[in-house]
Amino acid sequence: SVAFMQAFRDVCGARSPDKVSTMVNARRFLPELGADALFGLAPGVALCAKSLPSAQELSADSFWARSRAVKADLNRRIERFGAGFYETLAGLESLHDRYDSVVAFFENAPAIPNLTLSNLGRLNLPGNYRTFTLQKVYSPLVMVSPTPANTIVMSSFAGEMEFAFISDEQSLPCAAAREIRQRAMEILRICA
């Protein structure tokens, strides 16, 4: 997450998103939910991208210090969900019958530059089934609306991490998206 936040800042400069949302893994609050159960809505936590170092100031030490600070902040904020998490999830679930109006609202809402980070984590799927072997899993794609909107979906399966970068040409020109992807991978290679 920090590598992509930094890459957006390095490539887009002042036009980079200040608001970065990350989805919360609801499974930690729902122990009865099976590992194979899926649900479409999850609460999010906003991260601040304003305090990232400039590209020239970035070092492995500053990257890991920032990563640890982001993780500690996320953990504190997620723990605050507590009992309120169930009310949040129930509220989100109650929107299913109003899906069309929710989509219409967001499509007509004023667009703000944002970035959504969705880390699905390790996908705990069996590799072998009766009639086939599962070799690779690709992160699911999401709808990005209203423009400008950018989403990074991360997951790992069989020891390999995978990233999906979802945007549209109006939100982010393809050349800039490729530059961001390249910069994020460069940061990970240098710092990790």
Side-chain angles (χ1 to χ4, degrees), residues 38 65 77 87 120 128 135 146 150 159 162 167 178 183 186 191:
L38 300 174
R77 295 168 75 196
E87 287 80 20
L120 301 176
N128 293 308
Q135 296 174 344
N150 306 286
E162 196 261 339
S167 189
R178 287 188 172 138
R183 177 66 179 141
E186 178 183 302
C191 297

Side-chain angles (χ1 to χ4, degrees), residues 2 6 51-53 57-73 76 191:
V2 172
Q6 184 71 48
S51 62
L52 293 170
E57 298 170 333
L58 181 66
S59 67
D61 289 341
S62 68
F63 173 82
W64 287 111
R66 177 71 178 150
S67 297
R68 284 188 288 278
V70 165
K71 182 178 181 179
D73 182 47
R76 274 192 304 276
C191 297

Side-chain angles (χ1 to χ4, degrees), residues 24-190:
V24 174
N25 182 355
R27 295 180 192 287
R28 70 191 302 173
F29 298 103
L30 304 169
E32 298 298 316
L33 190 64
D36 60 349
L38 300 174
F39 48 93
L41 297 172
V45 173
L47 301 174
C48 181
K50 291 181 181 180
S51 62
L52 293 170
S54 69
Q56 297 77 22
E57 298 170 333
L58 181 66
S59 67
D61 289 341
S62 68
F63 173 82
W64 287 111
R66 177 71 178 150
S67 297
R68 284 188 288 278
V70 165
K71 182 178 181 179
D73 182 47
L74 272 175
N75 285 337
R76 274 192 304 276
R77 295 168 75 196
I78 290 169
E79 289 305 318
R80 277 192 242 151
F81 273 127
F85 175 77
Y86 298 101
E87 287 80 20
T88 301
L89 192 59
L92 290 172
E93 288 295 323
S94 72
L95 296 175
H96 283 293
D97 63 338
R98 296 185 187 108
Y99 183 76
D100 290 340
S101 56
V102 170
V103 169
F105 169 79
F106 282 112
E107 286 179 346
N108 294 314
I112 55 169
N114 66 16
L115 170 62
T116 301
L117 300 165
S118 185
N119 185 358
L120 301 176
R122 285 186 191 94
L123 302 178
N124 231 353
L125 301 170
N128 293 308
Y129 292 84
R130 193 174 48 204
T131 57
F132 66 92
T133 300
L134 188 59
Q135 296 174 344
K136 190 164 185 76
V137 176
Y138 295 96
S139 295
L141 301 182
V142 298
M143 175 178 72
V144 290
S145 180
T147 293
N150 306 286
T151 300
I152 307 292
V153 180
M154 301 164 267
S155 65
S156 62
F157 174 74
E160 189 173 304
M161 188 171 241
E162 196 261 339
F163 303 96
F165 188 163
I166 304 101
S167 189
D168 61 27
E169 190 71 29
Q170 188 177 351
S171 298
L172 190 67
C174 187
R178 287 188 172 138
E179 197 176 336
I180 289 167
R181 179 189 64 191
Q182 182 179 340
R183 177 66 179 141
M185 295 303 107
E186 178 183 302
I187 290 168
L188 289 172
R189 279 196 275 314
I190 291 168

